[in-house]
Amino acid sequence: MNARTPVGLLLAVLALSACQQRALLPASNAAPLLPPAVAYEAHEAAGGRVPPGGTLRNPHQGDPAVAANGALLFTTMNCDGCHGPDASGSVGPNLAVRRWRYGGADAEVYMSIFYGRPKGMPAFGGALGEEGVWTLVTYIRSLPKVDNLATESWEKP
Amino acid sequence: MRLTLVSVGIVFALMALGAGAGPAHGGTPVAAPTSDDGQWQMPARDYAASRYSGLADINSRNATGLHPVWTFSTGVLAGHEGQPLVVGDTMYVVTPWPNVLYAFDLTKEGYPLRWKYRPDVSSNAIGVSCCDTVNRGAFYADGRIIYNLLDGHTVAVDAKTGRELWKTQIADLGSGETVTMAPLVVKDRVIVGASGGEFGIYGWTKGLDLKTGAVVWTARNIGPDADMLVSPTGFRPPYDSGSDIGARGWPDDAWRTGGAPVWGWISYDPDLGLIYYGTGNAAPYNAEQRPGDNKWTASVLARRPEDGTLVWAYQFTPHDNWDFDATGAMVLADLVVSGKPTKALVHFDKNGFAYTLDRATGRLLVAEPFVAVNWAKSIDLKTGRPVIDPGKQTGLSHGTVKGICPSLEGGVSPSSPPAYSPRTHLFYTSTNNLCMDYSATHTTYLKGTPFMGINSPYVAGPGGYLGSFMAWDAATGKKVWENKEEFPNWSGALVTAGDVAFYGTLDGWFKSIDARTGKVLSRFKVGSGVVGNPITFRAPDGKQYVAVYAGIGGDWLLLAGDVRSDDPTDLRAPADYVKDIARHTSGGGMIWIFGL
């Protein structure tokens, strides 16, 4: 078996975090923990009253080893097929430009991957489980900031 | 446009023509329209897919005076492939997702709408379409406008009232199937197919009942004979023999996720009783995961429209290493080949060769490169197989294979259909002059996600220009003339009895040219790059017009995403081989009509 199949990779991911064996996929019958509702920073609150929402904490926030695994997972789970190599955009949006339709905080990216989004982002929570999704979140949050693309000029400076 | 007594008379005459082709004849669907009746009732105007009109009021002497006379924004920004229909005194336009159908009243000044039909289409389809949310057009038959919705449905809409007559689910979004192709109606069958070669679909073609929309037959394009509707006695592929050819050329049951989508065009020969269509790439792109010929991907299939029976098949690119879909149009023309009158089928393939086949048998007559090609040296006419350059074979173990020509965008995009003039005996086609580096990676099938395994940056082909529009002699396999273009050329072609050909460029120039010499007669900068297909028609005012969509998109939306300005969260750097395209155009769907 090639080490880059999801099963092989996920075993590797799990070995890294053996204490969190909830995320077996996809054969596992273990129910993943359902994340709570997240209040989005980007949402405007009517009357200035912010609705209640839970919090989600990325257990691997900023961990470069987990981010490296996430990069592998990004290709193994075919994320690059839509978001392009290095998440630079293809069918799906550019994620490296750090602009976000549904929020760019760890918990917000987590929700996008776990449950999917309209316009064709599949829900990966069932296939990847909590641990797998956090691994991807850690990778996406680690992407190097791309050059400023806001201005594109054809004039000679 | 003011109505005169004369034009009212013409309106009635046209309406009578429309009725004759429609339901008045008790279920006889559309006959192939005559060559000069001024209508455009099916995607390529006729069953032969010729995109030729007998109208000649606009001709090579006066086309210099062409100018825009009318425009209309579709309100949609994605790539506007396909073409309008003109039936009687109404023009019909289908947009990309969300697949709105507009019906314009050509009898009134400003062409106001008679009605518009806005179907309920899932937005999930947007992310399941590999190459933009395009639609390649509708078909008029039996008083109905028939077309496909991106989310996997076919609809029939009453051509007079705009009311939905039936809606049938034909494809499964969850498996990566979307529908972008233009249907073909033959007698009481609506023939449709699915996109999804990038999602590992089990490619198919279906025949629906024209009256009810019910699925009558489903034929897989790959796999065992039973699934492919191969009869033990009736299937005669010219270069293959034996049973289950579509399953044997794969490891285990890899055909179940082998691709072979149908996202282009279908043509029909009423005398032979055969429909012809091309199948797309083999999945995944990493060819080492599927050793074998992978039949019948990248092939042309000839079937009986009534029950789907497969009669013959020919594979252009065995063991597709390069994403060489064969979904481009199959144009049926009666040519003199080597001194012999021949019922020919002509096809410009993504793989860079232009093929002339005997359409009764599928036997090869001519196969010559129409752009720079190096993955194969030639096509062996005896065996039907390409003579491969082993140095251009791809796959995981080959690492990055540099300088493969043409690129996987194709020598021509299958979305850019050619035209054929029986007056000049020439074919007219857009081309791309692109080569690529190809790095295959291992990929695993995960239902509903891309099944690809590739990275393939492009470079300009020899000569430095990126595309062209050319005239081709399919009887001899020779280029007659070529207009080089700065950018890859992505529009379809139109040619008329006035010996004028028409095309648009990716940077938004719409051109009329002399069909015999290629000389540009007129050009106008439309609002966005042209990836649609021009048509011509006679309006109720008695005058000939030419219509075309502007609206850059299709693969180009993905590869040069900096032409988009509609999503502030999704900025893209320019594609490095086509850095300047966003300087000249941005997204925006518009119908343009030109007249004298």
Side-chain angles (χ1 to χ4, degrees):
Chain A
M1 164 138 334
N2 189 300
R4 294 187 66 180
T5 60
V7 174
L9 177 79
L10 257 294
L11 289 175
V13 167
L14 287 168
L16 275 176
S17 51
C19 58
Q20 303 188 39
Q21 297 258 340
R22 289 183 300 239
L24 274 170
L25 93 161
S28 168
N29 293 323
L33 292 185
L34 296 182
V38 168
Y40 282 49
E41 277 178 33
H43 285 178
E44 299 296 339
R49 289 171 183 268
V50 178
T55 52
L56 279 173
R57 201 186 65 81
N58 181 356
H60 308 299
Q61 190 165 44
D63 184 332
V66 175
N69 268 312
L72 204 53
L73 202 53
F74 191 78
T75 52
T76 308
M77 296 306 287
N78 303 331
C79 310
D80 60 334
C82 283
H83 290 284
D86 303 322
S88 59
S90 179
V91 173
N94 183 343
L95 304 175
V97 76
R98 296 193 190 176
R99 297 188 181 192
W100 305 97
R101 285 180 191 167
Y102 305 107
D106 284 47
E108 292 166 340
V109 176
Y110 181 95
M111 295 295 277
S112 291
I113 299 170
F114 198 96
Y115 284 117
R117 293 292 180 189
K119 300 189 180 182
M121 169 70 187
F124 282 86
L128 277 176
E130 196 180 353
E131 179 63 17
V133 175
W134 279 129
T135 303
L136 272 172
V137 169
T138 306
Y139 162 66
I140 289 164
R141 295 279 286 158
S142 78
L143 287 168
K145 187 165 170 52
V146 295
D147 291 337
N148 187 353
L149 295 175
T151 302
E152 199 174 350
S153 172
W154 291 271
E155 295 290 317
K156 297 244 188 306
Chain B
M1 240 155 268
R2 233 174 303 139
L3 274 180
T4 64
L5 277 179
V6 174
S7 64
V8 169
I10 289 166
V11 172
F12 284 131
L14 280 170
M15 288 169 77
L17 272 173
H25 287 296
T28 306
V30 67
T34 57
S35 61
D36 58 356
D37 72 357
Q39 301 190 75
W40 196 287
Q41 298 189 352
M42 58 177 88
R45 191 165 191 285
D46 53 33
Y47 277 132
S50 73
R51 294 182 183 270
Y52 169 82
S53 164
L55 297 181
D57 296 358
I58 298 168
N59 55 55
S60 51
R61 290 179 305 285
N62 62 18
T64 49
L66 278 170
H67 57 273
V69 296
W70 181 86
T71 61
F72 187 92
S73 166
T74 65
V76 180
L77 297 178
H80 280 58
E81 295 182 353
Q83 59 288 307
L85 299 179
V86 173
V87 182
D89 55 14
T90 307
M91 178 171 71
Y92 299 92
V93 168
V94 179
T95 73
W97 184 95
N99 303 129
V100 175
L101 173 60
Y102 291 108
F104 296 94
D105 182 350
L106 299 180
T107 66
K108 296 199 167 64
E109 184 177 29
Y111 299 166
L113 287 175
R114 294 183 189 280
W115 47 259
K116 64 177 173 181
Y117 164 71
R118 286 170 289 177
D120 183 10
V121 190
S122 169
S123 67
N124 278 323
I126 295 170
V128 188
S129 24
C130 74
C131 312
D132 200 5
T133 56
V134 300
N135 183 286
R136 299 193 174 86
F139 197 108
Y140 171 81
D142 198 24
R144 296 142 190 242
I145 302 293
I146 316 273
Y147 72 103
N148 293 314
L149 308 182
L150 189 66
D151 70 352
H153 293 80
T154 306
V155 290
V157 176
D158 187 302
K160 285 228 175 332
T161 65
R163 300 240 175 243
E164 183 181 291
L165 298 172
W166 51 257
K167 176 177 178 180
T168 300
Q169 185 183 347
I170 57 166
D172 174 25
L173 267 190
S175 305
E177 296 175 348
T178 53
V179 185
T180 60
M181 56 87 74
L184 187 86
V185 179
V186 172
K187 298 178 186 165
D188 54 359
R189 285 289 169 277
V190 178
I191 318 290
V192 294
S195 310
E198 283 64 41
F199 286 76
I201 67 166
Y202 183 18
W204 48 260
T205 308
K206 295 185 186 195
L208 316 184
D209 179 74
L210 175 60
K211 293 280 178 228
T212 64
V215 177
V216 179
W217 55 261
T218 298
R220 300 289 177 173
N221 298 319
I222 46 182
D225 282 357
D227 287 14
M228 287 196 67
L229 304 188
V230 168
S231 84
T233 53
F235 181 44
R236 292 179 300 277
Y239 302 103
D240 296 88
S241 58
S243 57
D244 293 321
I245 300 168
R248 279 192 284 111
W250 297 84
D252 304 325
D253 60 351
W255 43 267
R256 286 187 191 279
T257 55
V262 177
W263 52 270
W265 318 94
I266 309 175
S267 45
Y268 170 59
D269 182 329
D271 295 334
L272 294 171
L274 293 175
I275 56 166
Y276 305 92
Y277 64 92
T279 58
N281 64 287
Y285 284 28
N286 174 19
E288 287 175 355
Q289 289 179 237
R290 44 174 174 78
D293 270 358
N294 312 140
K295 286 187 169 73
W296 294 95
T297 63
S299 302
V300 52
L301 276 59
R303 292 185 184 276
R304 302 265 175 229
E306 57 273 17
D307 58 7
T309 306
L310 188 63
V311 173
W312 61 257
Y314 168 69
Q315 187 174 46
F316 298 105
T317 311
H319 188 52
D320 171 23
N321 270 234
W322 310 272
D323 185 35
F324 285 155
D325 300 75
T327 42
M330 307 294 163
V331 185
L332 314 183
D334 296 334
L335 305 176
V336 178
V337 182
S338 306
K340 253 178 62 183
T342 305
K343 283 179 176 296
L345 177 155
V346 175
H347 170 68
F348 295 87
D349 200 86
K350 264 174 98 174
N351 73 17
F353 288 92
Y355 295 82
T356 306
L357 282 70
D358 178 329
R359 68 177 181 264
T361 64
R363 283 215 159 263
L364 261 187
L365 302 172
V366 181
E368 294 293 333
F370 65 99
V371 292
V373 171
N374 64 13
W375 67 275
K377 293 180 175 66
S378 61
I379 309 294
D380 184 334
L381 296 183
K382 287 210 171 54
T383 63
R385 298 185 75 89
V387 181
I388 302 270
D389 177 346
K392 301 300 179 192
Q393 291 278 103
T394 72
L396 185 62
S397 71
H398 293 268
T400 299
V401 184
K402 291 200 174 282
I404 299 168
C405 309
S407 81
L408 63 73
E409 296 298 334
V412 59
S413 165
S415 8
S416 320
Y420 170 69
S421 167
R423 289 171 52 85
T424 63
H425 304 291
L426 295 177
F427 287 77
Y428 302 89
T429 184
S430 287
T431 78
N432 301 313
N433 184 33
L434 292 171
C435 302
M436 64 178 169
D437 300 339
Y438 198 105
S439 314
T441 56
H442 184 87
T443 184
T444 304
Y445 180 77
L446 179 64
K447 186 180 171 204
T449 70
F451 186 44
M452 297 175 69
I454 174 137
N455 187 18
S456 60
Y458 306 149
V459 293
Y465 62 101
L466 294 176
S468 77
F469 187 82
M470 70 165 61
W472 179 262
D473 182 344
T476 59
K478 287 194 169 59
K479 188 195 303 182
V480 178
W481 50 255
E482 178 172 32
N483 290 353
K484 290 177 179 168
E485 295 290 349
E486 185 179 352
F487 296 104
N489 224 55
W490 216 257
S491 90
L494 164 68
V495 66
T496 70
D499 288 343
V500 188
F502 299 86
Y503 69 97
T505 66
L506 204 63
D507 54 341
W509 291 97
F510 184 62
K511 299 184 179 182
S512 70
I513 61 171
D514 186 313
R516 295 186 184 275
T517 65
K519 185 187 166 201
V520 176
L521 302 173
S522 69
R523 57 176 207 149
F524 186 85
K525 183 73 159 67
V526 295
S528 178
V530 180
V531 296
N533 312 319
I535 69 155
T536 188
F537 62 97
R538 190 182 299 286
D541 66 3
K543 294 178 183 166
Q544 183 188 353
Y545 295 97
V546 177
V548 69
Y549 299 152
I552 194 172
D555 245 6
W556 290 100
L557 182 69
L558 313 177
L559 302 169
D562 61 331
V563 299
R564 270 181 70 178
S565 299
D566 62 325
D567 185 351
T569 66
D570 185 13
L571 300 185
R572 312 279 177 92
D576 52 9
Y577 62 96
V578 61
K579 275 192 190 307
D580 269 0
I581 188 69
R583 185 179 195 186
H584 301 285
T585 190
S586 61
M590 186 104 91
I591 312 149
W592 290 78
I593 296 182
F594 291 79
L596 289 174

